[in-house]
Amino acid sequence: MVRILPQTKAAAVNPLKSSQPLGAALAFLGIDGAMPLFHGSQGCTSFALVLFVRHFKEAIPLQTTAMDEVATILGGADHLEEAILNLKTRTKPKLIGVCTTALTETRGEDLAGDIANIKQKRAEELAGTEIVLANTPDFEGAIEEGWAKAVTAMIGRITRPGEQARQSKKIAILPGWNLTVADIEHLRDMVESFGLKPVIVPDVSGSLDGTVPDRWVTTTYGGTSVEDICELGTAVRCIVIGEHMRRPAELLHRLTGVPYAMFQSLAGLKAADRFVSLLSAISGAPVPAGVRRRRAQLQDALLDGHFHFGGKKIAIAAEPDQLYQLATFFVSMGSEIATAVTTTNMSKILEKVPADSVQIGDLGDLEALGAGADLLVTHSHGRQAEQHLGIPLMRVGFPIFDRLGSQHKLTLLYQGTRDLIFEVANIFQANRHAPTPEALDPFRHREMPDELSSSPLARL
């Protein structure tokens, strides 16, 4: 059984995790016409905004209540009200996602009550705009929890409760934070190939896919509509990707009765087969020929690539669900997880990670524990460990700011797993060290009997 090792350091040497508010803001960015709003100081928002812009290489709509010293002491309700009204007047968003920070959470403000008062007092001015609160203190959790809390808050606030008439072709999908734009686009294509209609909440593939609108848009453009979130109860099934999305799926089930199917990972042949079989069962349609062809391509990639994976030692640092996804992928290819580092111990998925132990820590722990590994796997901040250890780095997760196209990398189902195999195998091939003649000599270190060591032939 895997051992979960607690964090022992008082400070992060090289931070691995991103904060809860950032994760919540990322989820709100997947909603059409949305505006994430950080309720805290200006610096909290500026730091998150820099990370978003460097990762996505896009203009990111993100605002702040900009609490000052007086508001920090006396309370920030006035700042929150002013910010919401300004956003409504200037940007006319369909949804304002309020993400709390450590500043307001530590003070213990009744933010739910404040927002209720603002909506009641300013009902006419705020008509047509949903305001959703996600309680996301910086001092606990990480990006994974923030994303899940924002999705849970949106379902709880917007989705129409009660049993409703089901649309037999409608599928609700709750993706994990670690799915890229390419992953979600491929997921949609796969579901639609069975004649089904997917509603993905949130859908960053519509808002952060790198397209340039023909006009200036002050909010997010593309993504899931507020109306689609409202009508989630008409779906015949909900598909959940990632253990951290179990809570919003359970809430949707309690509110509307929509049953859900959990996929802790969609990487690998077995997981992809289960997903495709579920879609076939829901739709009543056979698996399309194109999907069967991609499965055959993955099988061929497994045969071609497994020579490069066998016996390799992998050091991974990632959020819990992404750690599980990557670790199970590498182990299925014949590699060994030599080092596993994650951000928080709040997820039950850590108990299933195929490693001897999982360290709650930072990239300093990855560097200390990963010496001797064949590959480092983490985001762009792992480049220092790559330089110090001389071990190649595979960039995954958030943020990736020193490479282009990270959001367009496919990592799931048949095609994504095939691409992962090729990427890793190519890294190993590019960093292969040719053996020296001495290393290839099988008799170099063999001990010889004393009576033979003095023979002239032994010195040849």
Side-chain angles (χ1 to χ4, degrees):
M1 182 176 178
V2 61
R3 293 177 295 126
I4 312 300
L5 306 178
Q7 189 170 11
T8 56
K9 295 183 294 187
V13 175
N14 186 1
L16 168 63
K17 71 177 181 179
S18 296
S19 66
Q20 276 200 82
L22 188 145
L26 181 57
F28 288 128
L29 288 172
I31 308 302
D32 185 32
M35 177 63 73
L37 174 65
F38 274 25
H39 186 28
S41 67
Q42 183 106 24
C44 297
T45 311
S46 299
F47 184 73
L49 185 59
V50 167
L51 287 177
F52 278 139
V53 171
R54 295 183 75 191
H55 180 80
F56 291 103
K57 309 293 191 294
E58 304 292 336
I60 302 294
L62 184 62
Q63 294 295 329
T64 178
T65 57
M67 289 178 62
D68 54 19
E69 295 87 346
V70 176
T72 301
I73 300 300
L74 300 180
D78 292 340
H79 280 249
L80 181 60
E81 180 178 355
E82 182 181 359
I84 290 174
L85 292 175
N86 283 339
L87 289 176
K88 175 63 176 178
T89 302
R90 297 178 182 179
T91 66
K92 297 178 174 57
K94 297 176 183 177
L95 181 146
I96 297 176
V98 180
C99 313
T100 64
T101 62
L103 183 65
T104 51
E105 290 284 350
T106 303
R107 191 180 180 281
E109 296 186 32
D110 180 15
L111 296 171
D114 290 342
I115 290 177
N117 291 334
I118 293 169
K119 291 170 68 175
Q120 182 179 9
K121 184 169 61 172
R122 305 284 190 172
E124 185 176 344
E125 297 166 85
L126 296 175
T129 298
E130 290 285 352
I131 302 175
V132 177
L133 170 66
N135 292 101
T136 52
D138 305 71
F139 49 74
E140 67 177 15
I143 189 172
E144 189 173 279
E145 287 82 17
W147 171 282
K149 285 182 177 180
V151 177
T152 304
M154 284 189 282
I155 291 174
R157 170 63 194 165
I158 301 173
T159 301
R160 182 158 54 94
E163 292 280 349
Q164 301 158 42
R166 301 287 167 77
Q167 299 180 23
S168 60
K169 299 296 184 181
K170 183 175 180 180
I171 303 293
I173 299 178
L174 304 182
W177 77 274
N178 53 305
L179 269 64
T180 66
V181 165
D183 288 336
I184 294 179
E185 287 179 341
H186 186 57
L187 203 61
R188 180 187 296 105
D189 292 342
M190 177 70 79
V191 174
E192 289 177 345
S193 70
F194 284 86
L196 300 171
K197 178 187 175 183
V199 177
I200 303 172
V201 184
D203 182 5
V204 295
S205 73
S207 56
L208 294 171
D209 60 344
T211 56
V212 180
D214 55 3
R215 58 187 175 83
W216 174 249
V217 182
T218 54
T219 62
T220 58
Y221 58 93
T224 313
S225 68
V226 172
E227 293 76 16
D228 281 341
I229 301 176
C230 180
E231 299 299 324
L232 282 177
T234 61
V236 68
R237 186 70 66 90
C238 177
I239 295 177
V240 189
I241 306 167
E243 182 65 33
H244 64 290
M245 298 304 290
R246 187 183 293 275
R247 183 180 173 190
E250 290 175 343
L251 176 61
L252 180 62
H253 179 66
R254 289 198 303 270
L255 287 176
T256 65
V258 175
Y260 68 89
M262 169 65 68
F263 290 84
Q264 294 170 332
S265 171
L266 283 182
L269 183 63
K270 185 176 180 180
D273 281 348
R274 181 180 164 228
F275 182 78
V276 169
S277 297
L278 177 63
L279 295 182
S280 181
I282 294 172
S283 65
V287 178
V291 175
R292 293 180 180 274
R293 186 167 182 269
R294 284 194 290 271
R295 186 182 190 276
Q297 291 173 341
L298 173 56
Q299 288 178 306
D300 183 67
L302 289 167
L303 290 172
D304 295 341
H306 80 278
F307 299 102
H308 303 282
F309 285 78
K312 292 291 195 299
K313 296 182 178 180
I314 312 298
I316 308 175
E319 295 276 337
D321 269 304
Q322 190 167 43
L323 173 65
Y324 173 79
Q325 175 191 355
L326 293 166
T328 52
F329 162 73
F330 279 108
V331 169
S332 70
M333 293 297 297
S335 299
E336 172 191 348
I337 307 303
T339 302
V341 181
T342 193
T343 57
T344 172
N345 62 355
M346 298 176 70
S347 177
K348 294 181 179 179
I349 198 65
L350 295 178
E351 299 173 1
K352 298 183 179 181
V353 173
D356 292 335
S357 62
V358 175
Q359 175 69 57
I360 310 299
D362 53 32
L363 293 176
D365 295 310
L366 176 70
E367 185 173 336
L369 300 172
D374 297 295
L375 181 67
L376 302 178
V377 183
T378 189
H379 52 63
S380 288
H381 289 298
R383 66 196 189 284
Q384 290 92 350
E386 175 188 26
Q387 294 168 358
H388 297 162
L389 299 177
I391 300 172
L393 170 66
M394 175 183 173
R395 288 164 173 79
V396 299
F398 179 92
I400 299 176
F401 48 79
D402 56 349
R403 294 291 186 275
L404 285 176
S406 60
Q407 279 304 302
H408 297 283
K409 287 174 59 176
L410 193 57
T411 65
L412 49 71
L413 299 178
Y414 301 127
Q415 190 173 335
T417 305
R418 183 199 66 181
D419 292 352
L420 277 177
I421 293 171
F422 292 159
E423 181 183 2
V424 176
N426 287 334
I427 292 175
F428 285 143
Q429 289 191 90
N431 292 273
R432 185 167 52 193
H433 301 290
T436 62
E438 291 80 6
L440 293 174
D441 182 1
F443 303 109
R444 179 172 179 80
H445 299 291
R446 190 182 68 170
E447 294 184 3
M448 300 181 64
D450 294 338
E451 60 271 16
L452 295 179
S453 60
S454 59
S455 171
L457 295 176
R459 293 190 292 271
L460 294 179

